[in-house]
Amino acid sequence: MDKGTCVAAGCVRPARIKALCNAHYLRKRRYGDPLGSAPKRTMLERFESKIVRRESGCWEWSGAHFQTTGYAIFNVPSPKDGRWRPATAHRIGYQLFVGPIPDGLNIDHLCRNRGCVNPAHLEPVQQRTNMLRGDAPSAISVRTNRCQRGHEFTPQNTHVRIRNGKPKRDCRECVRERDRARNKTEKRRAQHRAAYWRRKAIASE
């Protein structure tokens, strides 16, 4: 039985349920009006809908995270073309709740939780300060004044070289250990080569 076309204004699709097409019927069920739509939320409302407040004080992000870094993702419109682009949620949260981020500064997580967007746990700092507060081997080395293998950086045990225009410390004891291991490997290879040629000489006799 033909039910005619949808009675919603401007719609020419065939009616399915209660004189409405499927799309307008679902809109009426959801919003109370066949022509209704979801109310537009402000950026702050969108941001707060993704926050889960923990007892520790962290505001855990319930949305997506960058797989490589673990930082939370919040989509914002690009000022150039208006397209939605992913941005780090903790930087957006700091700007929403505190204010603009000073030029040249990074946002550091004082709680060391990369998924936290609580502005009370965020602090704008220099990149070097942010790096030294982290758990990277280089940061630990600077804080403890020891290399990755635990050797102390004394004046006698430290060699400074320039890398990419910046000074870099090398542990002399680590260099000696690498040299000893390399020499041992080369000696073993030389023995294997000598044994190979001896066997080959004996086989040819």
Side-chain angles (χ1 to χ4, degrees), residues 1-203:
M1 178 178 178
D2 186 10
K3 298 183 180 180
T5 58
C6 177
V7 297
C11 183
V12 295
R13 290 189 290 266
R16 300 296 184 187
I17 306 174
K18 295 184 179 180
L20 295 170
C21 65
N22 288 338
H24 286 108
Y25 174 73
L26 292 176
R27 284 191 178 188
K28 184 176 181 180
R29 284 190 57 184
R30 180 171 296 180
Y31 308 118
D33 184 353
L35 302 178
S37 60
K40 292 185 178 180
R41 296 183 298 174
T42 64
M43 182 177 293
L44 180 60
E45 290 173 339
R46 288 178 50 237
F47 191 89
E48 289 183 329
S49 68
K50 298 291 185 181
I51 294 175
V52 179
R53 289 171 170 80
R54 304 295 187 188
E55 294 182 359
S56 62
C58 287
W59 293 4
E60 201 72 37
W61 189 254
S62 63
H65 293 70
F66 289 103
Q67 293 184 356
T68 54
T69 61
Y71 289 115
I73 300 175
F74 185 68
N75 291 323
V76 295
S78 171
K80 295 181 179 180
D81 52 17
R83 294 185 178 182
W84 293 90
R85 309 283 187 186
T88 48
H90 63 279
R91 290 182 64 88
I92 300 299
Y94 187 90
Q95 296 175 72
L96 288 174
F97 293 102
V98 180
I101 301 173
D103 293 338
L105 298 186
N106 294 345
I107 297 298
D108 180 36
H109 284 87
L110 301 177
C111 58
R112 316 320 303 168
N113 178 10
R114 293 186 174 186
C116 176
V117 295
N118 185 351
H121 293 184
L122 305 176
E123 180 185 8
V125 296
Q126 296 287 342
Q127 182 177 358
R128 177 175 174 78
T129 303
N130 190 16
M131 185 274 293
L132 293 179
R133 290 178 178 178
D135 298 327
S138 57
I140 297 174
S141 175
V142 172
R143 290 199 301 267
T144 61
N145 199 38
R146 292 181 178 273
C147 72
Q148 297 181 20
R149 293 178 175 85
H151 304 132
E152 186 178 1
F153 280 114
T154 62
Q156 297 78 17
N157 190 43
T158 305
H159 170 69
V160 180
R161 60 189 174 93
I162 303 300
R163 182 179 180 182
N164 297 329
K166 297 180 180 179
K168 183 181 184 301
R169 295 187 302 178
D170 284 333
C171 174
R172 294 184 184 274
E173 183 59 32
C174 287
V175 173
R176 286 192 289 268
E177 289 181 0
R178 287 197 297 267
D179 290 342
R180 286 193 291 265
R182 182 169 57 250
N183 293 337
K184 186 177 180 179
T185 301
E186 291 297 330
K187 183 178 179 180
R188 186 168 57 250
R189 288 176 178 173
Q191 291 173 348
H192 289 170
R193 285 194 296 268
Y196 168 78
W197 287 112
R198 282 197 301 269
R199 290 194 301 270
K200 191 170 183 180
I202 294 172

